[in-house]
Amino acid sequence: MTFIDRHIGKIIIGFLLLAFIIAWFGPFEVTYKLTYSGKVYPSKKWALKQDNNQYFTENRNFVDGFSESMSSFTFDRGDIVELTFNERLENGTYVSQGTSLFEFKSYLLEQEIADLETKINSQLATFTAENTGRKISVIQEAEKELTMAKQQLDLEEKNFERGEELFKDQIIAEAEFQVIENNLMLAQSNVELAEQKLVSARTGRKIESLDVVNAQLANFEANLNILNEKKRGYNVSAPFQGEVLFDAFNNSLISLVDTIQQVVIVPIEVEEKGFINERHARACLDLPGCTGNFDMNVALDKKVNIIDNRQVVLAKVKIPHNRHRMDEGLMVNCEIICDTIPVREYLKRKIF
């Protein structure tokens, strides 16, 4: 047995030790990389969801934050609600911002609006009649009453003249003459009232009545404006340009996704967060057409999350606009270049 055969183990250990010493103290540097799996998301996603008799929209921004805004539509129990989608929309339809997506129709709301419109029309008719007083039937009735009142006054004046002579001749008693005199005064009053009624019918000068009608009309119109504003809020438009999705296997009734940019969310172990310098870190996705091209920026979330009992920080890798669009929810391998470090630092990170 030769010397080498007898001491092969020691020789190997010596070489390894020598290599370790050279690497540890030598001027050699290596690129430190992290490899994780991430999921593809659109940069923005908006969706309409339902929970019993309540509908709500959720607007999520996967680049700047996980939730931007929410709106809810609550309807009274017993209300008949119809949800109508824009008939031009299909799964995959591209829409611009402001395009009408769907509309809620509430039976109770429509009924309230119809009732108020009826009241307003009625009040307008009353206001017009009170303001002008020129309805032909009203004027004719007032003229007729005045004619009859004058005829009655003429009759009572003649009765008074005869009664006065009879009273002077002591043919009738004073009490009977007093009745004749009272009838004359009543006829005179009735003529005055009939004249005033005719003037009112012709000129419409009823200030107090007009004020009441006008106040009621203003109140009805204010309430109608509120209901119409509520109805307009039931017509929902696209908050941004993107692709419309109808997914029967999703809990969303309709979704809108941004097609301009996508982002890959990558969970990074908390212990390795410090190795990523957001200024210089670059990433590459393990996809066709992405062979070693580390041109994607990496942004770190500041919040620690628990995923599968692991403490992680979410890293967001923005996919450039010129890249081929990927399916939402696709899992991809993501390699992140952190920095260039000495070999001893590399060994510390990997071993310790």
Side-chain angles (χ1 to χ4, degrees), residues 120 123 126 210-221:
I120 288 174
Q123 288 298 99
T126 301
L210 289 178
D211 288 342
V212 172
V213 174
N214 199 29
Q216 291 176 339
L217 182 61
N219 183 53
F220 290 151
E221 288 178 338

Side-chain angles (χ1 to χ4, degrees), residues 108-175:
L108 292 181
L109 179 61
E110 295 291 340
Q111 190 176 47
E112 286 184 73
I113 291 176
D115 289 344
L116 274 177
E117 288 176 342
T118 300
K119 290 179 179 179
I120 288 174
N121 291 333
S122 176
Q123 288 298 99
L124 282 173
T126 301
F127 182 82
T128 301
E130 292 287 340
N131 190 37
T132 63
R134 294 185 183 277
K135 295 177 71 175
I136 296 177
S137 59
V138 175
I139 296 175
Q140 289 178 342
E141 183 67 25
E143 290 176 342
K144 183 178 179 180
E145 290 181 9
L146 178 58
T147 300
M148 293 177 61
K150 287 182 177 180
Q151 291 175 351
Q152 184 65 32
L153 176 61
D154 183 61
L155 179 61
E156 294 299 336
E157 286 177 343
K158 292 177 181 179
N159 287 337
F160 180 78
E161 290 175 359
R162 288 196 302 270
E164 190 176 27
E165 291 177 0
L166 292 174
F167 178 68
K168 289 179 180 179
D169 295 339
Q170 297 183 349
I171 297 176
I172 59 174
E174 182 179 358

